[in-house]
Amino acid sequence: MKKIGKSLLIIFFYVTYSSLSLIPLILLNINIETMPDILYYLYYLIMQFIFILFLYFFFQDEIKKMLVDFNNKYKEYLELAIRYWVVGLVLMIISNVIISSLTPVELPENEEAVRGLINVIPIIMTSLILFTAPIIEEFIYRKVLYDLIPFKILYIIISSLTFGLAHVLGMASSALSYLYIIPYAILGAVFAIAYVKTKNIFVTISMHFVHNLFTIITIFLMKWGVLWKKLIY
């Protein structure tokens, strides 16, 4: 019962945190709409780190145990993480290709927004994508939901779907955009299965980090490819 209560409290705080984090700006009479991107996302990065401290406060004993476990089995866990991530990546790419070929929506709006911001504020966005996002999202969609849902299959389904929704909801410009819940949910399902097998959040954080690193490298390679073509032609 304690775990369920803690999980519900953390989910409530996570859902409302975006609004709560704006209170200091409102009290200082700072208009969010007119804030430069670099200042807004720097503030957002700081607030994300504060949320990570909040998670550490709630889970510090479990974090220490999982860290010891990860250190003892890091070879086994990293091998599992890479193997599962590759499967998730391949399935995600296949679903993305199918969706983009059947609809006029070539990319999920979330990814388009991220690509645009990486070009404008690369250091801040890279910090958010590589560090804060994997930690926070894995604690919420894997650890917290696992503590809340006692049935493994139901947990994997809910973990994957909520993970997919979180990456599309609020950014979708049309009904077809919601199809991109599928590739994100596939990746979320792979992360959830890995968590069920290992019960170690550092495994899924590693997987999430590797995936996001791969995404960033791909974005930069595409950008440099375009610049290279311009230089040549």
Side-chain angles (χ1 to χ4, degrees):
M1 288 301 292
K2 284 184 179 180
K3 278 192 173 183
I4 292 174
K6 184 194 287 187
S7 297
L8 290 172
L9 175 63
I10 291 168
I11 289 171
F12 173 77
F13 191 51
Y14 176 69
V15 170
T16 59
Y17 189 70
S18 293
S19 300
L20 293 172
S21 64
L22 296 177
I23 292 174
L25 297 178
I26 295 168
L27 292 175
L28 292 170
N29 201 28
I30 296 173
N31 190 339
I32 305 157
E33 305 258 329
T34 58
M35 278 182 78
D37 284 339
I38 189 168
L39 290 180
Y40 175 78
Y41 283 98
L42 179 60
Y43 176 77
Y44 182 74
L45 178 63
I46 292 167
M47 297 308 289
Q48 292 291 90
F49 276 116
I50 291 172
F51 190 82
I52 289 171
L53 289 174
F54 166 80
L55 290 172
Y56 179 77
F57 172 77
F58 268 87
F59 294 111
Q60 55 185 305
D61 291 335
E62 291 175 81
I63 287 170
K64 288 172 185 176
K65 288 177 184 176
M66 285 188 284
L67 189 56
V68 170
D69 178 55
F70 188 81
N71 285 333
N72 291 336
K73 301 179 181 178
Y74 73 93
K75 287 184 180 179
E76 174 191 339
Y77 283 162
L78 288 178
E79 183 184 336
L80 181 145
I82 296 298
R83 190 169 68 248
Y84 275 49
W85 170 70
V86 169
V87 172
L89 177 66
V90 171
L91 292 174
M92 192 181 189
I93 289 171
I94 291 170
S95 62
N96 271 325
V97 169
I98 293 170
I99 293 167
S100 62
S101 63
L102 295 177
T103 71
V105 186
E106 293 185 2
L107 282 173
E109 285 81 353
N110 172 66
E111 191 170 333
E112 285 185 356
V114 167
R115 290 186 182 196
L117 287 166
I118 284 176
N119 290 330
V120 179
I121 44 173
I123 295 173
I124 294 173
M125 285 307 297
T126 300
S127 300
L128 285 167
I129 294 167
L130 288 184
F131 302 112
T132 62
I135 294 170
I136 293 173
E137 290 178 7
E138 290 312 306
F139 265 97
I140 299 300
Y141 298 107
R142 253 57 73 184
K143 174 74 177 77
V144 172
L145 287 181
Y146 186 83
D147 289 346
L148 189 62
I149 303 165
F151 308 105
K152 290 179 182 178
I153 299 298
L154 182 61
Y155 157 71
I156 292 168
I157 292 169
I158 292 175
S159 174
S160 60
L161 288 177
T162 52
F163 184 72
L165 277 166
H167 286 81
V168 176
L169 203 63
M171 298 288 287
S173 59
S174 68
L176 291 173
S177 297
Y178 286 99
L179 288 172
Y180 281 101
I181 290 171
I182 296 168
Y184 284 115
I186 289 170
L187 194 68
V190 172
F191 290 167
I193 292 167
Y195 187 77
V196 168
K197 282 189 169 291
T198 63
K199 309 293 188 301
N200 195 306
I201 199 68
F202 291 103
V203 174
T204 59
I205 288 173
S206 300
M207 293 170 71
H208 203 145
F209 172 84
V210 169
H211 180 78
N212 286 6
L213 178 62
F214 175 81
T215 302
I216 286 177
I217 290 171
T218 303
I219 291 169
F220 279 119
L221 286 176
M222 289 173 65
K223 179 184 175 183
W224 291 334
V226 171
L227 289 173
W228 180 249
K229 284 182 180 179
K230 286 182 179 179
L231 288 171
I232 294 175
Y233 300 108

